[in-house]
Amino acid sequence: MAVKLPRGFRAGATRAGIKPSGKPDLALLVSGLPAAWAYAATRNRAAAPSVQRGRELYASGRALRAVVVNAGNANCATGERGFSDDRRMAEAAARRLGVVPEEVLTASTGVIGVPLPVERVEGGLPQIPLTPEADAFAEAILTTDLVPKVAEAEVAGARIVGVAKGSGMIHPNMATLLAFLVTDARVPQEALREAWRGVVDRTFNQVTVDGDTSTNDLALLMANGAYGEVPLGTLLEAVEGVARELARKIARDGEGATKLMAVRVVGAATEEEARRAARAIAGSALWKSALYGNDPNWGRILAALGNSGARFDPLRVRIALQGIPLYAGEALPFDRRAAGEAMRAEEVEVLVDLGEGKGEGVAWGCDLTEGYVRINALYTT
Amino acid sequence: MAVKLPRGFRAGATRAGIKPSGKPDLALLVSGLPAAWAYAATRNRAAAPSVQRGRELYASGRALRAVVVNAGNANCATGERGFSDDRRMAEAAARRLGVVPEEVLTASTGVIGVPLPVERVEGGLPQIPLTPEADAFAEAILTTDLVPKVAEAEVAGARIVGVAKGSGMIHPNMATLLAFLVTDARVPQEALREAWRGVVDRTFNQVTVDGDTSTNDLALLMANGAYGEVPLGTLLEAVEGVARELARKIARDGEGATKLMAVRVVGAATEEEARRAARAIAGSALWKSALYGNDPNWGRILAALGNSGARFDPLRVRIALQGIPLYAGEALPFDRRAAGEAMRAEEVEVLVDLGEGKGEGVAWGCDLTEGYVRINALYTT
C-alpha cells in the first residue's frame, strides 16, 4: 500500500549492509524546500552522537532539508569515533542532495557499542532512489518491529504523513522510537516548536513497552509550506491525530506483544497526574502479565496506580476493564469468566476514574509475554 | 534447620485456611518484654489497612509486643470493611497473648481485593503453638516464594534474627516484601528508629524483581533488651548485614528467577545517585532478559544508566561483568563466549564506575524469564 508523501517531499532507502539480515537499512527523507521543523529527543544521559548533534542543529534555528536514518547500528557508546562517524553520515547525505550538512538531521537505531560501518553509509547514500512515497523509508528504519508504521491525514488541502518505528526499549521520553512527521502546510517555525512538545507528551511519551528508554530516539515534525497556509489549530489537531495513531501502532507492535492496551485515566487532580497514572498502569510488569493471561486482576491496576505518584483516595477510585466495572472503592461483583473472555481482544481498554478532579490522560502499552523474554534474551540489540 | 530466636522472643504458625493450598498461613511473632521498634512501610498510595494502622501505632511511640501476619490475603482494597477486619485481627492476637491491641502490629500479604476471612484468623490464633524458633513463622508468611528466608548474626553476646518474604511485586520502597528483624540487645527506641531508615534504604529498598511496588509491605526491627546493652555501632552493622542477606535472598528467589544479579556502582557524584543507578540497572527489563540469555549486552546497562538520573559522562564510564571489563568510554575487546559462560552462574556481578565522584551503592535483582511471565499470567495474586 503506497502512501504518498505531502507535496515537495521525497523518500527512499537502500541495502547498505548494516543489518546482518541484508534487509534495507539506510533511508533518506528529503524536502525540496527548506522546512520549518520541531524536534524532541531522548533524555537518556548516554544519548547517541546523532541526538547530541540534532540538539545543536535544533538550537541553531536553521531550516531543515533532509533526514538520513540507518537501522541496525545505533552508533551509540562508540567513543569519540562515534561523533565523527555521525558527522560523516550527515556530510555524505548533504553531498548526495547538494545541501549543506547543517541542513541534514541524522538518526540511528540498532545495536549499541559497535562502531558504525560509516563507509557502507557513504557507499549506500548515492544508491538511494528517491520517490514521492513513504513506504521504502518506513520499511528500512525498522529493527525488531514486525510491521511498518505509517499514518496520514488531510487538513483543508494540506497533507500530513507520519512514519515511525518502535518495538522494544520503548518508554516515555523517547524510547527506541523514531518518528518522522511531514506536512506541506506552511507554519511558522516558532508555532510548530511551541506545539510539538505538548503533542509528543500526549502521544509518543505515553507509550511504554518495557520501561527502558533508549539512547537514540527522536520525534521530528517538518513543515515545508509547499501547499500553503491552513488554519493552525486544525492542522495541529490533525498532526496530533497522526502522532496518536503511530503511538498506538508502536504499542501494538511491542516486542512479543499479543495485544494493545489502552489506559484512560479520568478524574485526576491534574492532566499531568492523569498521564502519569496511565503510564504507570501501562508499564506494570505484573498487570501486563495478567493482561497476557486474560486475568482481570484489577488489584494489580490499583497497586500500579498507588506507585504512580498521582493523588487519589482508594475508597473513591473506580476501575473498569473493557467496559466492565470491577472496582468502586471496593471489589464489585462481576463475572470472572466473561471478563476474561472480554480480554481476549486485539485491544483492551482500562478505564480509571481517580475521583479527584478533571485531569484526563491516555497511555498505550501491550502485554508481557514469553515472546518478549525470548526476543530479548537471545537477540543482541 | 531450626533457627533459634533471640532471648525473649517466641514465634509460631498455623493453618487457618486462608491460602487455598491449605499450607500454614497465619503466624505470630511475640516478645515477652515490651520491645523498642523501628518500622518502614510501603509508600504505595493504595496502602493496605495494616500499613495505615502500622503507621499510627508507630507514631504513638508505644512499645511493641507482637506481630501477627497472614499470608494468602492482602486485605487491601477491601473497602471500609478492610479496616475493621484488620483491627479484629490485632484484637484476636492481643486476646491470645494477654496484651492490648495497640501493642500488636498486623501484616498481610497475598491477593488484593478479596475480603479477609477474619473469622478464620480469629479461629486460628488460639491454635498457634509458640516456640523459641523462627522456622514455622518463616514458612507461613510465604506466598509465591520458593524458599523461606532467614538470616542471623551475633554481636558481643546479643543475637539478631531476621525473617523475610519476597517474590514478585518487589521494588524499592517496600515491594511485596515483609521483613521482621528481632534482637535481644537493648537499644533506645530513638537510636533504633534513626538508624533503621538508612539500613532499609541500603538493603530492602535496593531490591527489585519487577518494578512493581506493593500495597502491603513493611520492614520491622524489634529490640527487646532481654540480653542487655551492646555497642550500638557494632549492633547496627550486624543488623544491616542481616538485612542485606535477606535482601539478596529475596532477589535470588524472585518470581521465575534463575540467578541473582548484584549491581555495584562506584564513582557516583553522591551515594544516592549510586544507589539509584544500581537500581536502574537491576530493574531494566532489557538487561534482565539479556542476563537470562547469558548475553553480555553491556549497551543495555549503559542505556539503563542513562535513564537513572545519575550524572555521568558516557566517555568516562567503565562497565565490568563478572570481573571482565566490557566498556571504558567505548567498547573494549573481550571474548564474547567466555563472558557468556561467566554469566552462567548462581550470582552475576555488574560493576560500574561512573567516574564522577565517591558515591557507592549496591542493588540486587534477578533475571527476567519466561517463568516470570507464566507465574504472573496465570496466578491471581
PDB file of all heavy atoms in Angstrom, chain B residues 64-77:
ATOM      1  N   LEU B  64       6.295  -2.294  71.405  1.00  0.00           N
ATOM      2  CA  LEU B  64       5.582  -3.335  70.659  1.00  0.00           C
ATOM      3  C   LEU B  64       5.765  -4.680  71.346  1.00  0.00           C
ATOM      4  O   LEU B  64       6.818  -4.984  71.905  1.00  0.00           O
ATOM      5  CB  LEU B  64       6.138  -3.391  69.229  1.00  0.00           C
ATOM      6  CG  LEU B  64       5.263  -4.075  68.179  1.00  0.00           C
ATOM      7  CD1 LEU B  64       4.001  -3.261  67.936  1.00  0.00           C
ATOM      8  CD2 LEU B  64       6.036  -4.214  66.854  1.00  0.00           C
ATOM      9  N   ARG B  65       4.721  -5.509  71.299  1.00  0.00           N
ATOM     10  CA  ARG B  65       4.812  -6.829  71.908  1.00  0.00           C
ATOM     11  C   ARG B  65       4.743  -7.949  70.887  1.00  0.00           C
ATOM     12  O   ARG B  65       5.268  -9.034  71.129  1.00  0.00           O
ATOM     13  CB  ARG B  65       3.662  -7.011  72.927  1.00  0.00           C
ATOM     14  CG  ARG B  65       3.810  -6.174  74.173  1.00  0.00           C
ATOM     15  CD  ARG B  65       5.027  -6.574  74.995  1.00  0.00           C
ATOM     16  NE  ARG B  65       4.873  -7.897  75.597  1.00  0.00           N
ATOM     17  CZ  ARG B  65       4.308  -8.115  76.789  1.00  0.00           C
ATOM     18  NH1 ARG B  65       3.890  -7.110  77.514  1.00  0.00           N
ATOM     19  NH2 ARG B  65       4.185  -9.346  77.253  1.00  0.00           N
ATOM     20  N   ALA B  66       4.050  -7.718  69.770  1.00  0.00           N
ATOM     21  CA  ALA B  66       3.848  -8.842  68.858  1.00  0.00           C
ATOM     22  C   ALA B  66       3.506  -8.377  67.454  1.00  0.00           C
ATOM     23  O   ALA B  66       3.074  -7.249  67.241  1.00  0.00           O
ATOM     24  CB  ALA B  66       2.721  -9.736  69.387  1.00  0.00           C
ATOM     25  N   VAL B  67       3.739  -9.284  66.514  1.00  0.00           N
ATOM     26  CA  VAL B  67       3.310  -9.086  65.130  1.00  0.00           C
ATOM     27  C   VAL B  67       2.475 -10.287  64.736  1.00  0.00           C
ATOM     28  O   VAL B  67       2.874 -11.428  64.973  1.00  0.00           O
ATOM     29  CB  VAL B  67       4.509  -9.010  64.164  1.00  0.00           C
ATOM     30  CG1 VAL B  67       4.025  -8.610  62.777  1.00  0.00           C
ATOM     31  CG2 VAL B  67       5.552  -8.064  64.670  1.00  0.00           C
ATOM     32  N   VAL B  68       1.323 -10.031  64.127  1.00  0.00           N
ATOM     33  CA  VAL B  68       0.522 -11.119  63.588  1.00  0.00           C
ATOM     34  C   VAL B  68       0.476 -10.944  62.069  1.00  0.00           C
ATOM     35  O   VAL B  68       0.227  -9.842  61.570  1.00  0.00           O
ATOM     36  CB  VAL B  68      -0.893 -11.168  64.224  1.00  0.00           C
ATOM     37  CG1 VAL B  68      -1.626  -9.844  64.108  1.00  0.00           C
ATOM     38  CG2 VAL B  68      -1.715 -12.294  63.583  1.00  0.00           C
ATOM     39  N   VAL B  69       0.780 -12.026  61.360  1.00  0.00           N
ATOM     40  CA  VAL B  69       0.889 -11.972  59.896  1.00  0.00           C
ATOM     41  C   VAL B  69      -0.003 -13.034  59.281  1.00  0.00           C
ATOM     42  O   VAL B  69      -0.011 -14.182  59.730  1.00  0.00           O
ATOM     43  CB  VAL B  69       2.335 -12.277  59.437  1.00  0.00           C
ATOM     44  CG1 VAL B  69       2.479 -12.011  57.935  1.00  0.00           C
ATOM     45  CG2 VAL B  69       3.349 -11.490  60.229  1.00  0.00           C
ATOM     46  N   ASN B  70      -0.752 -12.630  58.236  1.00  0.00           N
ATOM     47  CA  ASN B  70      -1.416 -13.675  57.463  1.00  0.00           C
ATOM     48  C   ASN B  70      -0.903 -13.618  56.030  1.00  0.00           C
ATOM     49  O   ASN B  70      -0.600 -12.538  55.513  1.00  0.00           O
ATOM     50  CB  ASN B  70      -2.943 -13.520  57.486  1.00  0.00           C
ATOM     51  CG  ASN B  70      -3.408 -12.572  56.402  1.00  0.00           C
ATOM     52  OD1 ASN B  70      -3.441 -11.382  56.617  1.00  0.00           O
ATOM     53  ND2 ASN B  70      -3.746 -13.106  55.231  1.00  0.00           N
ATOM     54  N   ALA B  71      -0.784 -14.766  55.408  1.00  0.00           N
ATOM     55  CA  ALA B  71      -0.376 -14.830  54.003  1.00  0.00           C
ATOM     56  C   ALA B  71      -1.489 -15.501  53.215  1.00  0.00           C
ATOM     57  O   ALA B  71      -2.141 -16.425  53.698  1.00  0.00           O
ATOM     58  CB  ALA B  71       0.925 -15.612  53.857  1.00  0.00           C
ATOM     59  N   GLY B  72      -1.699 -14.994  51.987  1.00  0.00           N
ATOM     60  CA  GLY B  72      -2.775 -15.544  51.161  1.00  0.00           C
ATOM     61  C   GLY B  72      -3.828 -14.498  50.887  1.00  0.00           C
ATOM     62  O   GLY B  72      -4.583 -14.602  49.929  1.00  0.00           O
ATOM     63  N   ASN B  73      -3.872 -13.454  51.718  1.00  0.00           N
ATOM     64  CA  ASN B  73      -4.850 -12.385  51.527  1.00  0.00           C
ATOM     65  C   ASN B  73      -4.253 -11.064  52.015  1.00  0.00           C
ATOM     66  O   ASN B  73      -3.881 -10.945  53.182  1.00  0.00           O
ATOM     67  CB  ASN B  73      -6.142 -12.696  52.286  1.00  0.00           C
ATOM     68  CG  ASN B  73      -7.247 -11.697  51.971  1.00  0.00           C
ATOM     69  OD1 ASN B  73      -7.043 -10.478  52.077  1.00  0.00           O
ATOM     70  ND2 ASN B  73      -8.407 -12.182  51.571  1.00  0.00           N
ATOM     71  N   ALA B  74      -4.145 -10.084  51.122  1.00  0.00           N
ATOM     72  CA  ALA B  74      -3.500  -8.814  51.465  1.00  0.00           C
ATOM     73  C   ALA B  74      -4.419  -7.891  52.254  1.00  0.00           C
ATOM     74  O   ALA B  74      -3.976  -6.866  52.752  1.00  0.00           O
ATOM     75  CB  ALA B  74      -3.035  -8.107  50.194  1.00  0.00           C
ATOM     76  N   ASN B  75      -5.690  -8.245  52.345  1.00  0.00           N
ATOM     77  CA  ASN B  75      -6.680  -7.343  52.951  1.00  0.00           C
ATOM     78  C   ASN B  75      -6.425  -5.910  52.494  1.00  0.00           C
ATOM     79  O   ASN B  75      -6.277  -4.991  53.295  1.00  0.00           O
ATOM     80  CB  ASN B  75      -6.682  -7.445  54.480  1.00  0.00           C
ATOM     81  CG  ASN B  75      -7.822  -6.627  55.103  1.00  0.00           C
ATOM     82  OD1 ASN B  75      -8.840  -6.375  54.444  1.00  0.00           O
ATOM     83  ND2 ASN B  75      -7.656  -6.219  56.360  1.00  0.00           N
ATOM     84  N   CYS B  76      -6.410  -5.740  51.194  1.00  0.00           N
ATOM     85  CA  CYS B  76      -6.156  -4.426  50.590  1.00  0.00           C
ATOM     86  C   CYS B  76      -7.239  -4.177  49.558  1.00  0.00           C
ATOM     87  O   CYS B  76      -7.658  -5.106  48.861  1.00  0.00           O
ATOM     88  CB  CYS B  76      -4.785  -4.431  49.930  1.00  0.00           C
ATOM     89  SG  CYS B  76      -4.404  -2.878  49.104  1.00  0.00           S
ATOM     90  N   ALA B  77      -7.708  -2.944  49.448  1.00  0.00           N
ATOM     91  CA  ALA B  77      -8.771  -2.602  48.506  1.00  0.00           C
ATOM     92  C   ALA B  77     -10.024  -3.392  48.843  1.00  0.00           C
ATOM     93  O   ALA B  77     -10.725  -3.894  47.977  1.00  0.00           O
ATOM     94  CB  ALA B  77      -8.347  -2.860  47.061  1.00  0.00           C
TER      95      ALA B  77
END
